[in-house]
Amino acid sequence: ADKEKIQQVLTNLLVNSIKYGNDNGTTEVSVENLIKNKVIVRVTDNGEGIPAVHIPRLFERFYRVDQSGSRREGGSGLGLAIVKHVIEAHGEKIYVESAVEVGSEFSFTLEK
């Protein structure tokens, strides 16, 4: 795997988790063996969560859950698109599970 690109993926996921998390919330990163030659990396938080209607479009370029156009908290809408591109360029997959007022988990597979 391209170490710098995977580091960028983790950075983007961690920054999002902290940015959209609760003031006293938590963000956890875990790496688990999945099958013989693969691991799954998870970034989990107890933040505001993402409404289900937004999940299918989360990884689109320039798509933002907050459609107000305010850049106060939001970014350009490129971070998750970059994450998906990098993971897919490695022949892997990225997943997201989220519940409003519960939190989110972004996970991706990676060859050992």
Side-chain angles (χ1 to χ4, degrees):
D2 182 329
K3 186 177 174 181
E4 288 181 15
K5 295 288 187 193
I6 297 303
Q7 188 173 9
Q8 182 181 21
V9 165
L10 281 169
T11 299
N12 284 356
L13 293 176
L14 287 168
V15 166
N16 279 358
S17 177
I18 293 164
K19 185 188 299 185
Y20 299 108
N22 296 321
D23 287 341
N24 294 314
T26 60
T27 295
E28 296 179 10
V29 178
S30 65
V31 180
E32 303 168 36
N33 286 318
L34 194 58
I35 56 176
K36 188 171 85 172
N37 64 334
K38 286 200 189 274
V39 295
I40 188 162
V41 180
R42 302 178 199 273
V43 178
T44 309
D45 66 51
N46 63 349
E48 61 190 54
I50 304 161
V53 67
H54 295 288
I55 301 286
R57 298 190 62 198
L58 270 185
F59 297 101
E60 290 178 17
R61 287 176 45 205
F62 305 114
Y63 186 79
R64 294 181 54 220
V65 171
D66 173 13
Q67 297 294 316
S68 71
S70 164
R71 296 283 296 265
R72 182 178 55 83
E73 251 190 48
S76 63
L78 288 173
L80 290 177
I82 291 167
V83 164
K84 182 178 183 191
H85 175 77
V86 169
I87 295 302
E88 289 181 349
H90 282 79
E92 301 294 343
K93 295 195 181 306
I94 183 148
Y95 308 93
V96 60
E97 292 181 37
S98 190
V100 174
E101 296 182 18
V102 175
S104 303
E105 178 178 279
F106 287 81
S107 58
F108 60 92
T109 54
L110 202 56
E111 204 166 293
K112 288 184 186 178

